[in-house]
Amino acid sequence: MLSRIECYYPNSDDLSVLFPHHQRLKILSGTFSKTVDGGTCILPECIKVYGALAVAFEDEVAVGFTAIKDYPGGEWVLTAAFVEEQHRNTGLGSKMLDELVKYARKAGAKRIVTHTKSPNMVAILTRMGFTITSDDHASGTNLLFNLE
């Protein structure tokens, strides 16, 4: 059962998040995390690279995250999204994305763009209001969410 969704923003006081199971957030491995006391601690560098994070927790264990980053000119990029397999198709991804879209809108975003090869992600984003700008089975799908 989902306990909570927490958001971590650039310039926040505490940019470290402890994830008890390193394998749960593979995309955040390497230089952006380190193992501490048997868990994985997300470093501030992760926020710099991926942008703001929305992280879903179940019983204090991270089970998914999304990330969004701002760029000059009001364009924001959905930089990463991951939900553990057993938590997919529960609306969790949409809830995390919704939190970041609200954040981007408040911060003055004019549009959000992303690129994905995941049909599930395309379905989630189009339900949220993103439109497909190009689709190629080999290279993936580009999507746009206009906030103006």
Side-chain angles (χ1 to χ4, degrees):
M1 179 179 197
L2 180 67
S3 301
R4 68 188 188 285
I5 293 175
E6 289 188 12
C7 294
Y8 302 88
Y9 307 111
N11 304 318
S12 295
D13 291 337
D14 181 15
L15 293 180
S16 62
V17 187
L18 185 66
F19 295 99
H21 302 289
H22 179 70
Q23 72 275 13
R24 294 184 183 276
L25 294 169
K26 292 176 186 167
I27 197 167
L28 296 178
S29 63
T31 58
F32 306 119
S33 62
K34 65 179 178 182
T35 301
V36 208
D37 297 326
T40 300
C41 181
I42 302 306
L43 301 177
E45 289 79 8
C46 177
I47 303 288
K48 291 176 189 167
V49 172
Y50 287 104
L53 292 174
V55 182
F57 292 90
E58 178 183 288
D59 299 325
E60 303 308 311
V61 174
V63 296
F65 75 97
T66 56
I68 192 168
K69 186 170 183 175
D70 63 319
Y71 287 88
E75 183 166 284
W76 288 56
V77 177
L78 179 61
T79 55
F82 173 80
V83 175
E84 284 216 31
E85 195 168 339
Q86 66 267 30
H87 294 279
R88 293 179 187 167
N89 300 313
T90 63
L92 180 58
S94 296
K95 288 175 187 172
M96 290 186 298
L97 287 166
D98 188 50
E99 289 299 317
L100 293 182
V101 168
K102 287 179 197 173
Y103 167 70
R105 183 172 275 144
K106 271 178 137 177
K110 295 179 182 173
R111 65 197 152 280
I112 301 170
V113 298
T114 196
H115 175 83
T116 184
K117 290 186 177 182
S118 165
N120 290 339
M121 193 66 180
V122 171
I124 290 168
L125 293 172
T126 53
R127 277 195 307 269
M128 289 183 69
F130 281 74
T131 56
I132 295 172
T133 57
S134 68
D135 193 6
D136 179 325
H137 290 293
S139 64
T141 304
N142 293 316
L143 297 107
L144 167 73
F145 190 49
N146 224 337
L147 298 173
E148 295 184 296

